[in-house]
Amino acid sequence: MSATRAEICVVACAEAWRGDGEILAAAMGTCSILGARLARLTFEPGLLTTDGGALLTAEAVPFGAPAGAVEGWLPFREHLWLVQNGRRHVMMGASQIDRRGNTNISAIGDWARPKSQLLGVRGAPGNTICNPTSYWIPKQSTRVFVPEVDVVSGVGHDRAAGLGPRAARFHDLRRVVTDLAVFDFGTPDGSMRLVSVHPGVEVEQVRAATGFDLTIDGDVPETRQPTGEELRVIREVLDPKGLRYREVKA
Amino acid sequence: MGVVTSIEEIVGSLESGMTIGIGGWGSRRKPMALVRAIYRSSLTDLTIVSYGGPDVGLLCAAGKVRRVVAPFVTLDSIALEPHFRAARQRGAVDFTEYDEGMFMFGLLAAAHRLPFLPTRAGLGSDVMRMNPALRTVRSPYDDGEELVAVPALTMDVALVHMDVADTRGNGRYLGPDPYMDDLFAKASGRCFMSCDRLVEPGELGGPPQTLLVSRMHVTGVVETPGGGHFTDSGQGRDEMFQRHYAASAADPEAWAAFADRFLTGDEAAYQETVQQWREEGR
């Protein structure tokens, strides 16, 4: 049973929550939502997940399915308080990301009169300064991995360092997962480092899709393959309709 | 106490230049019947305070808006709001852009007559650069932590939509999320509430914790069946119609046709036209 790229990505996203214990796994994007629920159904059973709305589901539910039995209530107002509380690890998207982990979902170009107005900062400033944050980027390219983001929606390591240790004490960027590779910020200056490349991806390919200097330490391992059980859960339980392939081609 | 009123009376009591809060969230339980009436009105120069959705988009399309105060503008199932994008990209509206949590703290401050509330959200991000008037505040305790002082988001008028309300102006929501509608009601000088169904006092039913908005915060209440359309209110979002809205909004000619068909008449005409559109099987 060989895994598709999308399935490698789902598992790589799931790995972001390994060791998190009893916190909310909040996710945006198909593979990251599937990843959160997969982690809960396999190696991280303490995680809390939602129906994509205001309900904390008693069990991890298939993508797009109704909540079924519920174990808690998390309307937007409570979700925003939970960000302040901190028992939450969010995996967001980003239209731009730089080598220090600053991200942009607000606007492309000059903010005062953008070339392209995007969503707005949404919860990115609060998420990044209050609780662990990872990113899921379904299509890595030099348009996304840029030297400098146009608007800092999510706070990166240089910005956090500038705030001083007190204000930045909850700032915690964990990892970035793309369709090509996995990254973290495990360098002395908190800049991005290549952790693994997905099976079938060359390191050069990742470098070519990155618009800044990437830290690459020696031989880069391959992102791990899903286990048989993980593949079964993805294919038969969480995403039988294959919605993951709308995000990452098979 | 909320007086039973009409859409026309509510919009007739508004003035150009006002700061108007709009409840709901994204494309969810928005008081769209009231928004459509503002769209048709002669009001201009409005400041709109909103977890933005098609409410913001429609009012931008009509040139009613001078400033938007929001953490996002989205149609949820369609990520980007085309009219808001167009207005921003041609420099037609000013934008006060806050983090979602900051925005809630601004509502909480206004609802409780506080000048500001402190939060970490915003620190280190460009929210501080985009809003140069924002100030920080230092904890007077030993930690000495510096936090964002989110100013109160006080509004002249707030508009919210509830599933059920009584003739005194008490409002109840039926879905899983109250959004911030009670805060909008408390943070404004006057709050007008539309509802799908208006009942007599004492007939609201349901668990008391779903009685979100109290008549003490409501100036007027109006029954607008389907008044949240096409946002998610009760029966879910009208995704097909929202797609029609978004596709039309992306093209000037298609938008002229959409506006001519759906937005020139009153609310009853709108509901009837949507029904006809649906029967055409579009």
Side-chain angles (χ1 to χ4, degrees):
Chain A
M1 217 166 34
S2 94
T4 62
R5 178 68 60 79
E7 288 160 349
I8 298 281
C9 290
V10 170
V11 172
C13 287
E15 283 289 339
W17 286 283
R18 188 182 284 276
D20 277 352
E22 212 155 16
I23 60 151
L24 177 73
M28 295 111 197
T30 306
C31 287
S32 59
I33 288 171
L34 290 170
R37 295 178 189 180
L38 176 67
R40 182 180 179 182
L41 284 175
T42 54
F43 55 81
E44 206 57 42
L47 291 175
L48 291 87
T49 55
T50 72
D51 65 339
L55 304 176
L56 291 166
T57 56
E59 308 298 336
V61 295
F63 192 87
V70 164
E71 66 173 345
W73 186 44
L74 199 69
F76 284 120
R77 61 179 63 195
E78 294 301 327
H79 205 137
L80 294 177
W81 283 113
L82 185 68
V83 172
Q84 307 276 323
N85 173 273
R87 290 199 66 80
R88 176 177 183 269
H89 176 177
V90 63
M91 184 173 259
M92 292 191 285
S95 301
Q96 293 179 322
I97 185 167
D98 70 20
R99 64 188 283 272
R100 309 299 288 277
N102 296 292
T103 58
N104 176 17
I105 53 171
S106 173
I108 300 294
D110 176 15
W111 178 83
R113 183 159 175 191
K115 204 180 324 168
S116 178
Q117 172 67 42
L118 306 176
L119 278 170
V121 294
R122 291 218 71 147
N127 286 342
T128 45
I129 209 68
C130 293
N131 55 212
T133 302
S134 294
Y135 291 96
W136 159 240
I137 293 166
K139 196 164 170 39
Q140 185 180 343
S141 76
T142 52
R143 287 166 57 102
V144 182
F145 278 52
V146 294
E148 197 177 347
V149 303
D150 295 342
V151 178
V152 176
S153 311
V155 177
H157 279 106
D158 50 344
R159 292 291 193 102
L163 294 171
R166 169 64 65 172
R169 68 194 192 276
F170 303 123
H171 182 262
D172 184 5
L173 299 187
R174 295 279 178 87
R175 63 178 60 197
V176 179
V177 180
T178 76
D179 58 333
L180 302 179
V182 179
F183 308 85
D184 68 7
F185 299 92
T187 50
D189 67 346
S191 60
M192 204 187 285
R193 179 177 71 167
L194 182 59
V195 172
S196 67
V197 290
H198 300 338
V201 176
E202 301 293 332
V203 170
E204 270 319 303
Q205 205 180 329
V206 176
R207 215 196 291 268
T210 304
F212 51 79
D213 278 341
L214 197 55
T215 299
I216 301 175
D217 293 335
D219 287 339
V220 179
E222 267 196 0
T223 308
R224 80 166 173 89
Q225 291 283 347
T227 65
E229 171 64 5
E230 285 168 341
L231 281 183
R232 188 193 67 80
V233 170
I234 294 169
R235 293 173 181 178
E236 294 174 23
V237 180
L238 289 177
D239 187 28
K241 291 183 190 148
L243 296 172
R244 59 195 176 280
Y245 298 121
R246 289 191 194 168
E247 204 170 57
V248 177
K249 297 254 180 301
Chain B
M1 189 188 286
V3 176
V4 177
T5 181
S6 68
I7 292 172
E8 287 68 28
E9 274 175 356
I10 290 169
V11 174
S13 79
L14 307 180
E15 290 163 31
S16 292
M18 275 186 165
T19 296
I20 298 180
I22 302 180
W25 176 292
S27 189
R28 306 167 201 225
R29 202 154 44 70
K30 287 285 177 179
M32 293 303 286
L34 297 176
V35 169
R36 284 186 280 269
I38 297 176
Y39 180 98
R40 295 190 303 268
S41 75
S42 60
L43 294 166
T44 57
D45 203 29
L46 302 176
T47 293
I48 302 296
V49 179
S50 176
Y51 283 100
D55 52 333
V56 171
L58 267 180
L59 297 180
C60 284
K64 303 294 180 193
V65 185
R66 179 175 64 83
R67 174 175 296 278
V68 174
V69 183
F72 56 74
V73 183
T74 179
L75 299 174
D76 292 314
S77 52
I78 298 169
L80 304 181
E81 214 300 334
H83 285 311
F84 173 68
R85 294 192 81 193
R88 280 277 286 150
Q89 288 164 200
R90 64 173 191 269
V93 292
D94 296 332
F95 190 21
T96 299
E97 184 172 0
Y98 283 177
D99 165 86
E100 290 172 8
M102 285 179 73
F103 191 94
M104 179 175 77
F105 277 48
L107 293 177
L108 282 164
H112 301 99
R113 303 185 296 178
L114 295 167
F116 70 90
L117 278 171
T119 176
R120 283 186 193 89
L123 290 175
S125 78
D126 274 351
V127 165
M128 307 306 284
R129 173 173 72 89
M130 298 177 303
N131 300 284
L134 274 180
R135 295 287 174 265
T136 57
V137 61
R138 192 172 290 284
S139 164
Y141 301 106
D142 287 346
D143 58 271
E145 186 164 350
E146 195 172 357
L147 300 157
V148 181
V150 187
L153 279 174
T154 306
M155 297 158 251
D156 296 311
V157 175
L159 309 173
V160 301
H161 183 76
M162 289 289 124
D163 297 283
V164 199
D166 71 19
T167 53
R168 290 176 179 165
N170 297 297
R172 182 170 166 221
Y173 73 104
L174 301 179
D177 201 318
Y179 310 122
M180 307 292 175
D181 288 0
D182 51 333
L183 298 181
F184 276 97
K186 291 175 185 168
S188 58
R190 290 184 286 154
C191 174
F192 293 104
M193 178 166 58
S194 60
C195 63
D196 278 286
R197 195 160 57 84
L198 193 65
V199 299
E200 292 302 313
E203 291 179 2
L204 281 165
Q209 62 269 30
T210 62
L211 295 167
L212 186 68
V213 178
S214 165
R215 63 185 167 89
M216 73 180 98
H217 300 298
V218 173
T219 303
V221 57
V222 58
E223 187 175 44
T224 61
H229 184 267
F230 50 93
T231 67
D232 183 354
S233 44
Q235 275 70 53
R237 187 179 299 121
D238 187 342
E239 296 287 1
M240 205 161 59
F241 192 84
Q242 173 161 291
R243 278 198 296 277
H244 182 47
Y245 164 82
S248 304
D251 172 71
E253 253 178 64
W255 180 251
F258 181 99
D260 186 52
R261 179 161 190 197
F262 294 103
L263 300 173
T264 47
D266 63 7
E267 180 62 15
Y270 172 83
Q271 295 290 347
E272 200 175 311
T273 313
V274 169
Q275 190 54 42
Q276 284 165 5
W277 179 85
R278 202 172 283 139
E279 283 159 13
E280 290 163 16
R282 299 288 273 280

